[in-house]
Amino acid sequence: MSNLTVLAVVSEIFPLVKTGGLADVAGALPAALAAEDVEVVTLVPGYPAVMKAIERAETAIAPYESFGGHARVLRADAGGLDLFVLDAPHLFTRAGGPYTAPDGTDWPDNPFRFAALSQAGAALSLGGAPGFSPDIVHAHDWQAGLTAAYLEHDPRARPGTVITIHNLAFQGQYPAGLLGPLGLPDAAFAIDGVEYYGMIGFLKGALAYSDRITTVSPTYAAEIRTPDYGMGLDGLLRARGMAVNGILNGIDESVWDPAADAMIEEPFSLATLANRPANKAFLQREFGLDPDPGALLLGVVSRLSWQKGQDLLIANLDVLDRIGAQLAILGAGEPALEQAFLDAAAARPGRIGARIGYDEPIAHQIQAGADALVIPSRFEPCGLTQLCALRYGALPVVARVGGLADTIVDANPMALAAGLGTGLQFSPVTAEMLGATLERLARLWAEPDVWDQLIENGMSTDVSWRRPAAAYAKLFRDLVAERRRGGKPSIT
Ligand code: ADP
């Protein structure tokens, strides 16, 4: 197998900057691909957290003018990652989140910040850094979406281009008047370019120009070709046909390892499952829940947005009462939902505990201590928390959408009879179906032998990056081979 070099372009990367699963993927995929003989160097913005983490740096692209200030690209090691860092203080040296100001609103210059990232990605793709010449440029989400557009409108020979959609809900749309200021030619403002209903679409452009489109589960890859899930891009995605692939995410087994997790009360594995209840007791203490080992303890670790469907859980508080379940929720997002969970906790002391905010250790503690994890997403490109739950022995209760449908085996009667099943799925995604499924869960909880089998099945499931990394490596190699043949696609 020949060695392949990939330039990844991404706006967040674990453990340096994370707002969601995108960062987890960007952080874990390089090491997994190394095992496939694919070398990945990742271009990220030089946010303060990234600049602080840099251990060794050299200049890869000397200072140049970029959207009203000086930028340069560094090649750097940080947190075990091999990075290119776009050092552009006028764009990235600021307090707040990667995309938002401290008051929570989007930075007004986001189109320029991420156009700068994409331009640096295009420059690196075209040999801008001496000694680096990637076979593939792998862009992630709308923030890196213009990479393929800049390459398309550059006469020089380019590497193969791949865009991965982590969430089609975020598309990066901006007024048409920005075309020139963003450094795109008039020709780019076309139906087979960045034009999107009279606007500039960063992701739209990537979907039109990239050689391959991937998203993070096979079911989501199918769903986004339909008007219900396609967010206006389903027609284009249908037209791209076999260029669209679904490759499941994995999780980083060194970050999510219940046998060696310093954030949890008592490490455990399938072989030492008797240690797990100490984590449940800890969680009950931390969340002010009654110290009852027999109570069915539900966990939630989630952004609180319409997508995640946690309002459906709020609509089922009476069902929780009826089945005697407890609930420990960690989440942040829409204020009304945050308040609804705080109110629910106040009204049910000892039964519901809520933490509002983003907290990595508590996320691990919920996975380690809860009996089941509830994920009622209305759509879910892949989802990572259900994979963590499988590994940590919490039974996932999931909506049958996207990656949730692809990763959890529903414990229906036939599956149970065959000794299979790793969780519960429900569809349609309504409050009534979630309620019925929570009752189904309570019935399983009352049968410890069956429950233990499901937990064992879950903990034995391969949720690592091994298989996904092999799938990415194959896709990259197929694309390189196709381009060598002169663009004739191979259906493999
Ligand atoms: P999304 O990226 O749509 O938010 P994913 O399930 O793909 O959803 O990834 C979510 C990631 O963020 C997981 O690693 C999860 O543990 C983490 N996470 C979500 N909410 C919180 C929170 N409030 N505190 C800590 N970690 C969180």
Side-chain angles (χ1 to χ4, degrees):
M1 229 168 18
S2 63
N3 190 275
L4 216 66
T5 302
V6 172
L7 171 68
V9 185
V10 67
S11 58
E12 52 184 274
I13 189 163
F14 183 85
L16 307 180
V17 183
K18 167 169 163 174
T19 70
L22 171 63
D24 291 315
V25 174
L29 196 49
L33 278 169
E36 299 289 331
D37 256 339
V38 176
E39 183 205 359
V40 181
V41 188
T42 308
L43 171 66
V44 293
Y47 306 115
V50 172
M51 299 309 289
K52 226 177 80 190
I54 285 177
E55 291 148 21
R56 172 198 64 84
E58 55 196 48
T59 301
I61 300 182
Y64 58 97
E65 179 70 20
S66 178
F67 301 116
H70 288 300
R72 60 180 181 153
V73 176
L74 304 173
R75 176 88 182 248
D77 285 340
L81 299 162
D82 188 358
L83 301 179
F84 285 114
V85 176
L86 176 58
D87 180 22
H90 62 297
L91 300 174
F92 300 116
T93 305
R94 30 181 105 161
Y99 319 118
T100 51
D103 69 2
T105 57
D106 285 352
W107 293 111
D109 59 349
N110 273 349
F112 297 105
R113 298 171 78 226
F114 296 108
L117 180 72
S118 300
Q119 271 187 345
L124 289 166
S125 303
L126 296 170
F132 182 78
S133 153
D135 302 292
I136 297 283
V137 53
H138 183 191
H140 295 268
D141 272 352
W142 74 265
Q143 294 90 344
L146 289 188
T147 308
Y150 290 124
L151 287 173
E152 185 71 21
H153 295 283
D154 192 299
R156 288 171 286 179
R158 63 166 177 82
T161 49
V162 179
I163 176 78
T164 293
I165 304 166
H166 296 265
N167 192 336
L168 199 56
F170 304 108
Q171 300 184 357
Q173 271 144 32
Y174 297 103
L178 292 186
L179 194 73
L182 289 171
L184 289 167
D186 289 348
F189 198 70
I191 190 76
D192 55 356
V194 300
E195 194 269 334
Y196 183 71
Y197 294 110
M199 308 269 286
I200 296 168
F202 278 39
L203 183 65
K204 154 73 193 343
L207 299 184
Y209 288 131
S210 299
D211 298 321
R212 289 283 191 284
I213 298 166
T214 78
T215 187
V216 288
S217 69
T219 293
Y220 192 60
E223 287 170 342
I224 57 179
R225 294 166 185 239
T226 68
D228 280 355
Y229 294 89
M231 310 252 171
L233 290 168
D234 47 293
L236 173 56
L237 288 161
R238 281 195 299 279
R240 292 299 317 264
M242 296 285 289
V244 183
N245 285 268
I247 301 177
L248 274 179
N249 286 334
I251 53 172
D252 188 327
E253 289 178 307
S254 59
V255 176
W256 294 98
D257 180 4
D261 188 334
M263 298 186 215
I264 65 176
E265 179 72 356
E266 182 83 43
F268 62 95
S269 66
L270 199 49
T272 59
L273 213 47
N275 292 343
R276 194 175 189 277
N279 294 293
K280 178 170 177 176
F282 175 83
L283 195 60
Q284 285 172 325
R285 271 199 311 280
E286 289 292 304
F287 275 76
L289 305 174
D290 298 334
D292 177 358
L296 171 60
L297 173 50
L298 308 179
V300 168
V301 178
S302 184
R303 289 189 289 116
L304 296 178
S305 68
W306 182 84
Q307 175 196 341
K308 298 292 178 180
Q310 296 296 349
D311 52 300
L312 304 179
L313 190 54
I314 292 286
N316 274 295
L317 295 178
D318 58 329
V319 174
L320 297 193
D321 291 342
R322 203 155 61 234
I323 64 176
Q326 298 180 339
L327 174 64
I329 154 150
L330 169 66
E334 285 167 19
L337 275 171
E338 293 180 349
Q339 194 56 48
F341 279 110
L342 289 172
D343 291 347
R348 290 169 172 78
R351 304 294 306 280
I352 298 182
R355 292 289 170 82
I356 301 306
Y358 191 91
D359 192 307
E360 202 80 31
I362 297 179
H364 285 240
Q365 289 152 12
I366 290 179
Q367 296 284 7
D371 297 307
L373 199 80
V374 185
I375 313 173
S377 304
R378 291 188 168 89
F379 68 94
E380 193 60 79
C382 179
L384 296 176
T385 56
Q386 83 279 15
L387 302 180
C388 303
L390 289 174
R391 194 148 158 73
Y392 276 64
L395 194 132
V397 177
V398 305
R400 189 182 298 136
V401 293
L404 299 172
D406 291 339
T407 53
I408 301 304
V409 180
D410 182 65
N412 63 46
M414 297 303 260
L416 287 173
L420 303 174
T422 58
L424 294 183
Q425 294 191 349
F426 67 95
S427 177
V429 189
T430 61
E432 292 74 17
M433 271 316 264
L434 174 59
T437 306
L438 291 171
E439 288 171 1
R440 189 152 73 96
L441 182 74
R443 270 181 231 116
L444 285 174
W445 178 245
E447 290 188 73
D449 291 348
V450 179
W451 186 275
D452 290 350
Q453 179 68 53
L454 296 176
I455 296 302
E456 185 180 331
N457 293 348
M459 291 183 77
S460 311
T461 302
D462 181 1
V463 291
S464 76
W465 273 104
R466 275 182 293 276
R467 265 182 301 185
Y472 276 107
K474 178 168 173 4
L475 182 135
F476 293 156
R477 287 206 161 83
D478 285 352
L479 176 55
V480 168
E482 173 187 313
R483 288 169 51 77
R484 280 209 192 103
R485 284 195 306 273
K488 237 173 120 2
S490 66
I491 297 169
T492 47

